[in-house]
Amino acid sequence: MVNSLHSQGIDRPAPRLRVEAMAPDGQIEAVSLLGARFVVGVQWHPEYKVLENPLSKALFSAFADACDASVAGSNSAVRAA
């Protein structure tokens, strides 16, 4: 369960986008970019009550890990959840 309040969204993802999460109504809620070190797009607001939502916490933790890896010069893959 995520904080999704949008009336617009992705209809057809681009060829390299991978759908990571969908709402019960079929709306795409999250995508990643194949072949990228760290690219994640979400249709919800992970910053809203981030400490109360394990998915949002995982997303921000994965982003921080990817930043650390980039600064350290690592090419290791990091996934959000």
Side-chain angles (χ1 to χ4, degrees), residues 36-59:
R37 279 199 274 174
F38 189 89
V39 174
V40 176
V42 296
Q43 183 67 16
W44 75 88
H45 291 276
E47 75 284 359
Y48 179 74
K49 296 187 178 183
V50 65
L51 299 178
E52 298 173 26
N53 185 310
L55 293 174
S56 293
K57 283 175 68 172
L59 180 63

Side-chain angles (χ1 to χ4, degrees), residues 3-70:
N3 176 35
S4 183
L5 304 171
H6 301 284
S7 60
Q8 298 178 1
I10 297 171
D11 181 37
R12 292 178 307 258
R16 289 182 50 216
L17 283 182
R18 176 176 48 204
V19 175
E20 298 284 352
M22 292 183 79
D25 65 1
Q27 176 60 54
I28 296 171
E29 292 287 348
V31 294
S32 63
L33 182 63
L34 294 172
R37 279 199 274 174
F38 189 89
V39 174
V40 176
V42 296
Q43 183 67 16
W44 75 88
H45 291 276
E47 75 284 359
Y48 179 74
K49 296 187 178 183
V50 65
L51 299 178
E52 298 173 26
N53 185 310
L55 293 174
S56 293
K57 283 175 68 172
L59 180 63
F60 281 104
S61 291
F63 178 63
D65 291 345
C67 290
D68 289 343
S70 180

